[in-house]
Amino acid sequence: MPRFGPGDVRFFDRVARLYDAAMPRARVGPFADAFAFADRPIERVLDLAGGTGRASRGLAALGIDAVVVDASAGMLARARDAGHPTVRADVTRLPVRTDAVDAAVVVDALHHVPDPDAALEAAARVVRPGGVLVVQEFHPRGLRGRALVAAERAVGFDSTFWTPSELCERLAAAGFEPRIARGGFDYVVVGRVPEHSSGFRESH
């Protein structure tokens, strides 16, 4: 059993009040670049495992109001205090109808999700054909990557990390058309839902 429970939720409940002071603001540029891969206008967006709404604050700079979805009540309370609409839910079982949104983002968070493949499949269901899923993660290779992996294990997180190509393979398996939008330590991959998509799109 992970030290902080599935998804490390107990840890994030404890640190919610301090989280924003410790974490940098999400950058807007990668969102804009990744959204350009979409075949539809990006208006309705889910910020999955979005915590206090760091990514949503970045999206607001693009004129997009996202809904923050997270399992941590403490983190969501901070997101609501910042003015973001929120939904408390497991991102592997989204309480959202099929084809409900134009895009979803997961920023610095997928590595905490106990079943990342289920989360990607859930995103593939709720994002409309032509829409995109944008995932920002940390490259586990190299000096910085190995240090991060070691630090997360030392804290007691139940984290899993992937290289950009490995994460693209997982997006493809979930039904997306993937590409690497930005390389480096904090890389970004984007997956577009094909217009003919049908694999995980049963109605909920």
Side-chain angles (χ1 to χ4, degrees), residues 11 40 75 134 153:
F11 173 86
R40 63 178 307 112
M75 297 287 271
V134 182
R153 288 176 179 166

Side-chain angles (χ1 to χ4, degrees), residues 30-45 64 101-105 127-134 176-179 181 189-195:
F31 293 129
D33 293 343
F35 288 162
F37 189 47
D39 285 334
R40 63 178 307 112
I42 302 298
E43 298 173 351
R44 297 171 61 90
V45 178
I64 297 172
V101 299
D102 304 306
V105 301
V127 174
R128 295 168 179 151
V132 292
L133 170 67
V134 182
F176 292 98
E177 298 171 337
R179 67 185 292 181
V189 299
V190 55
R192 180 172 57 206
V193 177
E195 293 293 342

Side-chain angles (χ1 to χ4, degrees), residues 37 110 116-117 120-121 133-140 161-183 187-192:
F37 189 47
L110 187 64
D117 292 324
L120 297 179
E121 291 170 12
L133 170 67
V134 182
V135 183
Q136 179 173 307
E137 265 298 337
F138 298 108
H139 200 306
F161 294 94
W162 311 267
T163 66
S165 60
E166 288 170 344
L167 190 50
C168 280
E169 290 175 0
R170 299 186 99 95
L171 263 69
F176 292 98
E177 298 171 337
R179 67 185 292 181
I180 299 171
R182 186 183 73 194
Y187 69 87
V188 176
V189 299
V190 55
R192 180 172 57 206

Side-chain angles (χ1 to χ4, degrees), residues 82-137:
H84 301 295
T86 65
V87 174
R88 187 180 182 192
D90 181 340
V91 295
T92 68
R93 296 189 296 273
L94 294 171
V96 179
R97 64 178 175 81
T98 297
D99 297 344
V101 299
D102 304 306
V105 301
V106 189
V107 175
D108 305 346
L110 187 64
H111 59 272
H112 289 289
V113 177
D115 190 345
D117 292 324
L120 297 179
E121 291 170 12
R125 179 183 65 80
V126 302
V127 174
R128 295 168 179 151
V132 292
L133 170 67
V134 182
V135 183
Q136 179 173 307
E137 265 298 337

